[in-house]
Amino acid sequence: MSVDVAISRQLTADDRRFSLDVAFSSDSRRIVLFGPSGAGKSLTLRAIAGLLTPDAGHIRVGGRTLYDARAGINLPARDRQVAYLFQDYALFPHLTVAQNIGFGLTRGVLNPPRRRMSPVVAHWLEMFELGAVAHSYPARISGGQRQRVALARALAAEPGIVLLDEPFAALDPALRERMRSELLQWQARLDLQLMVITHDPADVVALEGHTIEIRDGRLWEDARSTTSAAPPTRMDSDLP
Amino acid sequence: MGEIWIPLALSLKVALWATGINLVLGVAVAYGLSRWRHPVRELVDAILTLPLVLPPTVLGYYLLVLLGTHGVVGEWLDRHGIRFVFTWQGAVVASTLVAFPLVQKAARAAFENVDPQLENAARVLGLRELPVFFRVSLPLAARGITAGALLAFARAMGEFGATLMIAGNLPGRTQTLSVAIYAAVGAGHDEVAGLMVIVTSVTCVVALLLAAWLAPGHAPVRRLDS
């Protein structure tokens, strides 16, 4: 699926101002937005998901226009068929693992029932080896399990593309390694298109995708061509 | 014992109605205020808090001006057979008004403590705004709202001033427990008054204990808004 993004957005919070102005397109199955924290990667991802409205530009995914300022198109987040894996997973703390996974499959004002679960939910529980914790609450399960629940919840809706916001940042190094290879396995098995944002060069190496570098709200290539000064600094220096 | 049971039953009925109405009204207003980004918001909040600080007599006066038989709205209501003066429904209106800020404030704090990321997660998963409210925001704020509702119930049980002004002191019809105590003391029935005082105190203490038990961290969590 082709992803075509060209957006700009001015943000002012208190006395700080930030301007985001990025344009890229890619057909890669693994698009990696790479850059230091505060570069505008998350804002870009939020704009694609429909959680942030740009000032101008367009967003197209797989030929569908999700946003187009000139044509006045701005699909709400719920209609974008885009999955979003939040950095802290954003699991619903008042719902069990099974209810979390089934959340997007029921549309009314009631949450999925605690006791009965749909075959679809059972399928995802089994696939992600979460059967043993199906009726546990998110606070009671491990970090790795939480990530799997978040992924299962996102994938149950059969989205066109999966957006992942720093998927490994919250994990300890040993687990990070494992989840990286797990994610790549899931991608191959389920034929997913991923768009991952990360500040970690090790992720860039492991994901082997089409890497787009963002700094100060601009694509790195653009920034390089417009400002002759400032040679590229090593990314590692931006790590905490 | 009828002289205690009848006012007690009336007080419970009035307080339950007032709490129920506030659960809908207070929660709706609180949710609106917690999502509304506008400078006028705090002014609206301040006005809505007035019933907490104004003398009940002032509130009662406002209610009479508004809902009295010759009042601004009251005259129109009277033509349609709806009366608030000297009725138990009038006592419900008075109790609702006085207890409203307690539910509204607690609910607003509870809604502002709900992680917006969770609501966003629900939206990305395909939910409309109403299901997001009922399936994410409301359950996560439920504890704080219930604590506020219990406080409101206790406050409504103890309502006196505004109730007396609009509903009056009609034994068996509008004479709530707190009004009955006033009447009993005035008539020199000290024993009856004493018993009613104990019943009222115990009811309120139970409600307050439940509220304290439900309140998150046993202290209201405040978040500073810019």
Side-chain angles (χ1 to χ4, degrees), chain A residues 1-139:
Chain A
M1 223 181 264
S2 70
V3 175
D4 180 10
V5 175
I7 49 169
S8 65
R9 167 80 198 241
Q10 303 288 324
L11 287 164
T12 41
D14 300 328
D15 53 342
R16 284 183 55 229
R17 291 180 63 189
F18 184 81
S19 92
L20 179 74
D21 193 352
V22 292
F24 59 87
S25 61
S26 177
D27 285 316
S28 172
R29 300 297 287 166
R30 285 201 285 269
I31 305 167
V32 181
L33 297 185
F34 171 62
S37 51
K41 308 185 299 291
S42 283
L43 291 175
T44 307
L45 213 61
R46 292 168 62 82
I48 296 171
L51 300 175
L52 175 91
T53 307
D55 296 328
H58 65 260
I59 299 167
R60 290 188 198 104
V61 176
R64 265 178 93 221
T65 300
L66 304 183
Y67 171 79
D68 192 322
R70 228 173 281 156
I73 297 171
N74 186 16
L75 290 187
R78 63 173 180 268
D79 292 333
R80 293 203 174 194
Q81 290 162 21
V82 157
Y84 197 111
L85 202 75
F86 291 88
Q87 190 172 354
D88 54 0
Y89 312 137
L91 297 179
F92 303 114
H94 59 299
L95 301 177
T96 64
V97 166
Q99 286 177 300
N100 263 283
I101 293 173
F103 190 87
L105 302 171
T106 32
R107 283 298 154 87
V109 292
L110 293 177
N111 279 314
R114 198 157 302 188
R115 304 254 165 247
R116 267 201 346 270
M117 67 173 86
S118 72
V120 183
V121 173
H123 164 78
W124 286 102
L125 281 169
E126 197 197 308
M127 180 129 66
F128 282 84
E129 289 163 36
L130 291 163
V133 293
H135 297 290
S136 304
Y137 287 90

Side-chain angles (χ1 to χ4, degrees), chain A residues 14 46 49 51 77-78 82-84 86 88 90-95 102-104 106-112 153-154, chain B residues 114-141 226:
Chain A
D14 300 328
R46 292 168 62 82
L51 300 175
R78 63 173 180 268
V82 157
Y84 197 111
F86 291 88
D88 54 0
L91 297 179
F92 303 114
H94 59 299
L95 301 177
F103 190 87
T106 32
R107 283 298 154 87
V109 292
L110 293 177
N111 279 314
R153 181 179 73 177
Chain B
V114 174
D115 184 357
Q117 200 84 296
L118 293 174
E119 294 165 335
N120 278 337
R123 290 184 187 111
V124 176
L125 285 166
L127 264 64
R128 295 180 168 276
E129 288 307 308
L130 203 65
V132 171
F133 172 78
F134 281 109
R135 291 170 60 178
V136 179
S137 320
L138 191 61
L140 290 174
S226 51

Side-chain angles (χ1 to χ4, degrees), chain B:
Chain B
M1 285 304 276
E3 51 207 330
I4 294 178
W5 286 121
I6 290 165
L8 175 63
L10 186 66
S11 274
L12 286 172
K13 180 164 90 169
V14 168
L16 281 173
W17 268 100
T19 308
I21 292 169
N22 273 331
L23 267 176
V24 178
L25 218 61
V27 167
V29 170
Y31 185 72
L33 279 180
S34 72
R35 301 296 124 136
W36 192 36
R37 300 259 165 269
H38 197 274
V40 179
R41 178 169 78 153
E42 295 314 316
L43 179 69
V44 173
D45 189 83
I47 291 169
L48 292 173
T49 311
L50 273 180
L52 210 58
V53 290
L54 279 179
T57 43
V58 172
L59 294 174
Y61 190 87
Y62 278 139
L63 285 179
L64 279 178
V65 168
L66 203 67
L67 300 174
T69 334
H70 302 290
V72 186
V73 188
E75 199 165 355
W76 182 83
L77 286 173
D78 198 54
R79 266 186 272 128
H80 293 78
I82 302 167
R83 286 194 122 183
F84 286 107
V85 181
F86 294 123
T87 62
W88 70 269
Q89 288 90 341
V92 171
V93 172
S95 293
T96 303
L97 182 67
V98 167
F100 175 82
L102 295 168
V103 177
Q104 197 271 122
K105 289 240 169 244
R108 186 179 157 187
F111 281 129
E112 281 171 359
N113 269 314
V114 174
D115 184 357
Q117 200 84 296
L118 293 174
E119 294 165 335
N120 278 337
R123 290 184 187 111
V124 176
L125 285 166
L127 264 64
R128 295 180 168 276
E129 288 307 308
L130 203 65
V132 171
F133 172 78
F134 281 109
R135 291 170 60 178
V136 179
S137 320
L138 191 61
L140 290 174
R143 248 177 111 89
I145 292 169
T146 313
L150 283 162
L151 277 178
F153 176 80
R155 180 67 188 83
M157 275 296 288
E159 215 319 282
F160 173 72
T163 306
L164 188 64
M165 284 185 72
I166 189 158
N169 176 17
L170 305 174
R173 284 178 52 204
T174 67
Q175 196 185 59
T176 59
L177 209 53
S178 39
V179 176
I181 291 168
Y182 179 74
V185 171
H189 302 150
D190 284 356
E191 255 176 59
V192 179
L195 221 55
M196 288 193 286
V197 163
I198 290 168
V199 169
T200 311
S201 305
V202 169
T203 314
C204 288
V205 166
V206 170
L208 288 177
L209 280 176
L210 279 173
W213 177 65
L214 279 168
H218 294 267
V221 184
R222 289 271 166 81
R223 191 185 283 181
L224 291 174
D225 276 291
S226 51

